[in-house]
Amino acid sequence: MDDSPALAPTTTDRPVYVVGGGPGGLAVAHTLRARGIRAVVLEKSDRVGTSWRGHYDRLHLHTTRRLSALPGLAMPRRFGRWVSRDDVVRYLEKYAEHHELEIVTGVEVSRIDRDPDGGWLLHATGGRELTGAAVVVATGYNHTPRLPDWPGRESYPGTFLHASAYRNPEPFAGQDVLVVGVGNTGAEIAVDLVEGGASRVRLSVRTAPHIVRRSTAGWAAQYSGVLCRRLPVGLVDRVARPMARLSVPDLAPQGLPRPDTGLYSRVKEGAVPVQDVGLIEAVRTGRVEIVAAVDGFEDGKITLADGTRTEADAVVAATGYVRGLEGLVGHLDVLGADGRPVVHGARTPAGAPGLYFTGFTNPISGMLRELAMDAEKIAKAVARRGGDRVSRLPVT
C-alpha cells in the first residue's frame, strides 16, 4: 500500500482513479488490478475503512460472513457468522495489504471534470490535478449525516447528537434518551441504550418499518433477500406478508403497527427492513417505548407529531445520511433528484463515459455482496472499453 503523495501521471500514463478507500473502492481496485489495469485509490483520511471505524461499538454485520467477503479474499472463520465492526476494519486492512493495492491517503478529491484530451480530470488536495482514463466514485452510502431542519433545535438544553457520533451507552447511563428514527441504526442504538443502563429509552417513529428476524432456524434473512432480488415486487410483497405474521408478533398495542405497504415495495423506495437484534423483545416488554415523530423543539421541550410535548436528557438523531456528491459530480448531470447517481455498477451515465459509481444503493441482498459483484462488473467494463487509454501494470 502506497501512502506517498507523489501523484503526477502523464497523459500517456492514465490509471483508473478510485475515489474512496472503503470496501467498494478496495474491491474495484483489486478487480481492476487482477485484469492488469493500474488502479489508484484516493482516500481523504489517513487509512482505509474510515467510515467503518466510526460506527458504534456494538455493530455487527446483518449479513453473513460468507456472503460479505470482497473478491479475492475470504473473511476468516474466526470472525463468526455475524462479523463485528472491528473485524470488518481488520479485514479491510488485510485486503489492501494482501492484494498490494496502490492507495494514496490524505488526498481528497473535490471535483471531477471531463478532460479536454479525453478521460477525466480530478481536482484534489493541495491543488493537484490528476488525469485518469476512468474514474470510479466509491465515497460511500453513509457519507454526510442528515439532520432534519427541526425548528427550535438550537434551544434544546440537553445532549443532542447524530447517530454517526454515537459510540456506546456509557455516557447515557441513568438518562432519559429519545432516539429519533427507526431504521436499523436507530433500532440497534435503542436496544444498546436499554442494555447499557439508560433509565428510559423512547424511539420516535414517523413511518412503521418492516421488521424481519436476522435469522430463523439458522436461515439468514439475507438468504431470502438474495432469492427475491430479481422476483417481481408484487410477488415478494404478497409472500412476505404472511411470513411476517408468523415470525414477528403484533406490536400495534405498543405503538408499532405492521406497515400498510409491501416489504419489497418499500425496499425499492430505499427503505430496507429492520433486522431484529433485540428490538422486538424490547418493544414488546416496554423497555423501548414507541412515540410519535419529532416535529421540532420549543422552550427546551420536544414537540411530537401527535401534538404532545416531552422532555429528555438526550436526543440521538438516527436520521440517516446524504450521499454528498453534488460538489464532486453534480455539474455533470449524473445525479437524480435524490442526489444519488442515475446509474451504478458497470453502467456509465449518458454523456459521461468512463465515470462509474459503486456503493450508492442499499440492496436487500446485502451491501457488501453487491459491492463485490459491482466490482467485477466495473473491472470488466473498464477492460473492455479502456483500450490503450488505460495504464497497464507491468507483466511480472
Side-chain angles (χ1 to χ4, degrees), residues 101-117:
L101 302 182
E102 187 175 353
I103 301 172
V104 184
T105 58
V107 174
E108 181 174 7
V109 178
S110 57
R111 182 182 171 98
I112 299 172
D113 285 312
R114 292 298 303 269
D115 182 60
D117 296 327

mmCIF file of all heavy atoms in Angstrom, residues 101-117:
data_model
loop_
_atom_site.group_PDB
_atom_site.id
_atom_site.type_symbol
_atom_site.label_atom_id
_atom_site.label_comp_id
_atom_site.label_asym_id
_atom_site.label_seq_id
_atom_site.Cartn_x
_atom_site.Cartn_y
_atom_site.Cartn_z
ATOM 1 N N LEU A 101 -2.596 -3.263 -2.996
ATOM 2 C CA LEU A 101 -3.299 -2.187 -3.687
ATOM 3 C C LEU A 101 -2.523 -0.882 -3.604
ATOM 4 O O LEU A 101 -1.840 -0.612 -2.620
ATOM 5 C CB LEU A 101 -4.694 -2.008 -3.088
ATOM 6 C CG LEU A 101 -5.597 -3.245 -3.120
ATOM 7 C CD1 LEU A 101 -6.967 -2.918 -2.542
ATOM 8 C CD2 LEU A 101 -5.736 -3.794 -4.552
ATOM 9 N N GLU A 102 -2.653 -0.085 -4.634
ATOM 10 C CA GLU A 102 -1.990 1.214 -4.687
ATOM 11 C C GLU A 102 -2.956 2.256 -4.105
ATOM 12 O O GLU A 102 -3.921 2.658 -4.762
ATOM 13 C CB GLU A 102 -1.631 1.562 -6.131
ATOM 14 C CG GLU A 102 -0.775 2.818 -6.259
ATOM 15 C CD GLU A 102 -0.332 3.084 -7.686
ATOM 16 O OE1 GLU A 102 -0.574 2.216 -8.559
ATOM 17 O OE2 GLU A 102 0.252 4.162 -7.933
ATOM 18 N N ILE A 103 -2.666 2.657 -2.880
ATOM 19 C CA ILE A 103 -3.569 3.544 -2.153
ATOM 20 C C ILE A 103 -2.802 4.789 -1.725
ATOM 21 O O ILE A 103 -1.726 4.698 -1.130
ATOM 22 C CB ILE A 103 -4.157 2.845 -0.908
ATOM 23 C CG1 ILE A 103 -4.917 1.590 -1.339
ATOM 24 C CG2 ILE A 103 -5.058 3.800 -0.123
ATOM 25 C CD1 ILE A 103 -5.368 0.719 -0.191
ATOM 26 N N VAL A 104 -3.349 5.927 -2.030
ATOM 27 C CA VAL A 104 -2.746 7.195 -1.627
ATOM 28 C C VAL A 104 -3.683 7.844 -0.614
ATOM 29 O O VAL A 104 -4.831 8.174 -0.930
ATOM 30 C CB VAL A 104 -2.519 8.132 -2.823
ATOM 31 C CG1 VAL A 104 -1.803 9.410 -2.372
ATOM 32 C CG2 VAL A 104 -1.708 7.426 -3.904
ATOM 33 N N THR A 105 -3.216 8.007 0.603
ATOM 34 C CA THR A 105 -4.038 8.569 1.666
ATOM 35 C C THR A 105 -3.789 10.067 1.807
ATOM 36 O O THR A 105 -2.812 10.607 1.300
ATOM 37 C CB THR A 105 -3.751 7.868 3.002
ATOM 38 O OG1 THR A 105 -2.357 8.013 3.321
ATOM 39 C CG2 THR A 105 -4.086 6.385 2.928
ATOM 40 N N GLY A 106 -4.703 10.723 2.497
ATOM 41 C CA GLY A 106 -4.565 12.153 2.722
ATOM 42 C C GLY A 106 -4.853 12.989 1.491
ATOM 43 O O GLY A 106 -4.472 14.163 1.432
ATOM 44 N N VAL A 107 -5.524 12.414 0.512
ATOM 45 C CA VAL A 107 -5.859 13.135 -0.721
ATOM 46 C C VAL A 107 -7.370 13.132 -0.892
ATOM 47 O O VAL A 107 -7.989 12.076 -1.069
ATOM 48 C CB VAL A 107 -5.186 12.503 -1.955
ATOM 49 C CG1 VAL A 107 -5.669 13.187 -3.226
ATOM 50 C CG2 VAL A 107 -3.669 12.589 -1.844
ATOM 51 N N GLU A 108 -7.974 14.311 -0.846
ATOM 52 C CA GLU A 108 -9.421 14.431 -1.019
ATOM 53 C C GLU A 108 -9.717 15.031 -2.391
ATOM 54 O O GLU A 108 -9.170 16.070 -2.762
ATOM 55 C CB GLU A 108 -10.023 15.317 0.066
ATOM 56 C CG GLU A 108 -11.525 15.456 -0.042
ATOM 57 C CD GLU A 108 -12.139 16.205 1.118
ATOM 58 O OE1 GLU A 108 -11.363 16.729 1.949
ATOM 59 O OE2 GLU A 108 -13.379 16.260 1.211
ATOM 60 N N VAL A 109 -10.577 14.371 -3.126
ATOM 61 C CA VAL A 109 -10.992 14.859 -4.436
ATOM 62 C C VAL A 109 -12.208 15.762 -4.247
ATOM 63 O O VAL A 109 -13.215 15.345 -3.665
ATOM 64 C CB VAL A 109 -11.325 13.697 -5.381
ATOM 65 C CG1 VAL A 109 -11.800 14.219 -6.736
ATOM 66 C CG2 VAL A 109 -10.115 12.790 -5.557
ATOM 67 N N SER A 110 -12.121 16.987 -4.738
ATOM 68 C CA SER A 110 -13.208 17.951 -4.549
ATOM 69 C C SER A 110 -14.111 18.088 -5.768
ATOM 70 O O SER A 110 -15.272 18.489 -5.642
ATOM 71 C CB SER A 110 -12.629 19.324 -4.200
ATOM 72 O OG SER A 110 -11.735 19.766 -5.212
ATOM 73 N N ARG A 111 -13.580 17.758 -6.948
ATOM 74 C CA ARG A 111 -14.365 17.938 -8.167
ATOM 75 C C ARG A 111 -13.803 17.039 -9.265
ATOM 76 O O ARG A 111 -12.592 16.846 -9.363
ATOM 77 C CB ARG A 111 -14.332 19.402 -8.615
ATOM 78 C CG ARG A 111 -15.161 19.738 -9.866
ATOM 79 C CD ARG A 111 -15.008 21.212 -10.218
ATOM 80 N NE ARG A 111 -15.595 21.535 -11.515
ATOM 81 C CZ ARG A 111 -16.804 22.055 -11.679
ATOM 82 N NH1 ARG A 111 -17.562 22.327 -10.616
ATOM 83 N NH2 ARG A 111 -17.258 22.337 -12.886
ATOM 84 N N ILE A 112 -14.698 16.514 -10.082
ATOM 85 C CA ILE A 112 -14.314 15.684 -11.218
ATOM 86 C C ILE A 112 -14.864 16.329 -12.492
ATOM 87 O O ILE A 112 -16.051 16.657 -12.570
ATOM 88 C CB ILE A 112 -14.864 14.248 -11.074
ATOM 89 C CG1 ILE A 112 -14.308 13.588 -9.811
ATOM 90 C CG2 ILE A 112 -14.532 13.420 -12.304
ATOM 91 C CD1 ILE A 112 -14.938 12.239 -9.493
ATOM 92 N N ASP A 113 -13.978 16.534 -13.479
ATOM 93 C CA ASP A 113 -14.364 17.155 -14.744
ATOM 94 C C ASP A 113 -13.927 16.283 -15.915
ATOM 95 O O ASP A 113 -12.996 15.471 -15.789
ATOM 96 C CB ASP A 113 -13.712 18.533 -14.904
ATOM 97 C CG ASP A 113 -14.361 19.599 -14.047
ATOM 98 O OD1 ASP A 113 -15.606 19.687 -14.056
ATOM 99 O OD2 ASP A 113 -13.629 20.332 -13.351
ATOM 100 N N ARG A 114 -14.584 16.472 -17.057
ATOM 101 C CA ARG A 114 -14.099 15.857 -18.279
ATOM 102 C C ARG A 114 -12.788 16.517 -18.675
ATOM 103 O O ARG A 114 -12.622 17.735 -18.540
ATOM 104 C CB ARG A 114 -15.113 16.049 -19.418
ATOM 105 C CG ARG A 114 -16.410 15.287 -19.247
ATOM 106 C CD ARG A 114 -16.217 13.782 -19.217
ATOM 107 N NE ARG A 114 -15.555 13.264 -20.388
ATOM 108 C CZ ARG A 114 -16.198 12.850 -21.485
ATOM 109 N NH1 ARG A 114 -17.512 12.918 -21.548
ATOM 110 N NH2 ARG A 114 -15.534 12.373 -22.510
ATOM 111 N N ASP A 115 -11.847 15.707 -19.118
ATOM 112 C CA ASP A 115 -10.564 16.234 -19.571
ATOM 113 C C ASP A 115 -10.632 16.514 -21.075
ATOM 114 O O ASP A 115 -11.136 15.687 -21.837
ATOM 115 C CB ASP A 115 -9.460 15.210 -19.274
ATOM 116 C CG ASP A 115 -8.094 15.721 -19.686
ATOM 117 O OD1 ASP A 115 -7.673 16.754 -19.152
ATOM 118 O OD2 ASP A 115 -7.485 15.082 -20.570
ATOM 119 N N PRO A 116 -10.155 17.681 -21.516
ATOM 120 C CA PRO A 116 -10.233 18.015 -22.955
ATOM 121 C C PRO A 116 -9.563 16.995 -23.853
ATOM 122 O O PRO A 116 -9.946 16.815 -25.011
ATOM 123 C CB PRO A 116 -9.531 19.371 -23.035
ATOM 124 C CG PRO A 116 -9.635 19.943 -21.658
ATOM 125 C CD PRO A 116 -9.580 18.781 -20.729
ATOM 126 N N ASP A 117 -8.540 16.299 -23.334
ATOM 127 C CA ASP A 117 -7.820 15.307 -24.136
ATOM 128 C C ASP A 117 -8.424 13.915 -24.027
ATOM 129 O O ASP A 117 -7.842 12.938 -24.490
ATOM 130 C CB ASP A 117 -6.353 15.257 -23.701
ATOM 131 C CG ASP A 117 -5.634 16.578 -23.960
ATOM 132 O OD1 ASP A 117 -5.990 17.244 -24.949
ATOM 133 O OD2 ASP A 117 -4.754 16.934 -23.165
#
